[in-house]
Amino acid sequence: MTSTVPAPMTRTADGSALQAVLLDMDGTLVDTEGFWWDVEVEVFAHLGHTLDDSWRHVVVGGPMTRSAGFLIEATGADITLPELTVLLNDGFEERIGRALPLMPGATRLLAELSAHGIPTALVSASHRRIIDRVLTSLGPRHFALTVAGDEVSRTKPHPDPYLFAAAGLGADPARCAVVEDTATGVAAAEAAGCQVVAVPSVAPIPPAPGRTVVGSLEEVDLTFLRGLISFR
């Protein structure tokens, strides 16, 4: 595993109740959820199958094993899961090599968290090879820890990725703020006991206890994230 784990810590630099910020990648920091669907459509077209647009909401935000497995079963395509995984990752890498748009507010938020010394992790269901490519645009300096979907035994919607990230930062999950864009990611963060900010990208996400829904990452700053966490 190539994640970077810093020395344990219990408080942010200013002693606030917020101990860490854990950020999803696709659809949250980078505008790539549509890229994945476009690649899936192209790959299956080459295999002789047309994807139903309604399936997009089924595959968004989850691990590749789940989304690719669903599409194989739904289409009956003659391809194995490992073969399809390679094709999808190759297609996505080619796509982001041409353009990698960041979500509005992402650059500002990352810079603010870094400037204030807030322990920050990138927690994604994407594979390590994809995360490392995206990090060149996001700036690896902004993250004390990165967690890829192929580095944990159970990825989103299970809580494991967020529990791993919190432990790696020496933080209490209840004092971690998570920013996610899909119901799958929100479920993982809530199962880990984190406070969640949902910024829906493809499908709506309703508000719920311990969950705040906003329309854009531009509404999220450090003051907002600190306000989610209270001393206990």
Side-chain angles (χ1 to χ4, degrees):
M1 187 176 296
T2 55
S3 301
T4 302
V5 180
M9 57 191 73
T10 58
R11 295 283 181 88
T12 52
D14 65 352
S16 67
L18 175 69
Q19 292 182 342
V21 176
L22 316 178
L23 300 163
D24 174 55
M25 187 177 76
D26 293 299
T28 299
L29 293 176
V30 290
D31 191 7
T32 50
E33 289 291 11
F35 285 13
W36 281 113
W37 179 248
D38 291 344
V39 170
E40 288 160 349
V41 168
E42 291 173 4
V43 167
F44 276 90
H46 286 301
L47 295 172
H49 298 276
T50 300
L51 300 188
D52 190 313
D53 196 59
S54 66
W55 295 342
R56 180 173 182 175
H57 297 295
V58 179
V59 301
V60 68
M64 186 174 292
T65 51
R66 187 194 74 180
S67 57
F70 168 83
L71 292 174
I72 291 173
E73 182 176 354
T75 61
D78 184 18
I79 189 171
T80 67
L81 183 58
E83 290 170 340
L84 180 56
T85 296
V86 171
L87 291 177
L88 293 177
N89 276 326
D90 286 349
F92 187 77
E93 277 199 87
E94 190 278 330
R95 185 65 61 94
I96 63 175
R98 286 185 269 143
L100 183 58
L102 272 59
M103 297 299 286
T107 299
R108 186 263 315 150
L109 178 60
L110 291 174
E112 183 180 13
L113 295 175
S114 292
H116 288 82
I118 307 298
T120 303
L122 184 67
V123 183
S124 177
S126 291
H127 289 185
R128 170 56 57 185
R129 60 179 284 195
I130 300 299
I131 287 181
D132 286 345
R133 285 291 301 274
V134 173
L135 277 173
T136 61
S137 294
L138 287 177
R141 66 190 179 280
H142 293 305
F143 304 98
L145 172 70
T146 63
V147 181
D150 56 343
E151 294 177 337
V152 290
S153 57
R154 300 188 307 170
T155 188
K156 304 172 187 179
H158 299 287
D160 305 37
Y162 283 112
L163 292 174
F164 180 86
L169 296 175
D172 177 356
R175 292 189 176 182
C176 292
V178 170
V179 185
E180 273 279 1
D181 73 302
T182 67
T184 299
V186 167
E190 291 180 342
C194 303
Q195 295 294 310
V196 180
V197 179
V199 190
S201 63
V202 175
I205 299 174
R211 178 195 311 167
T212 303
V213 181
V214 298
S216 166
L217 205 59
E218 293 185 306
E219 300 176 40
V220 181
D221 59 15
L222 182 52
T223 299
F224 179 91
L225 294 173
R226 283 175 172 153
L228 301 175
I229 314 295
S230 60
F231 284 107
R232 300 180 182 181

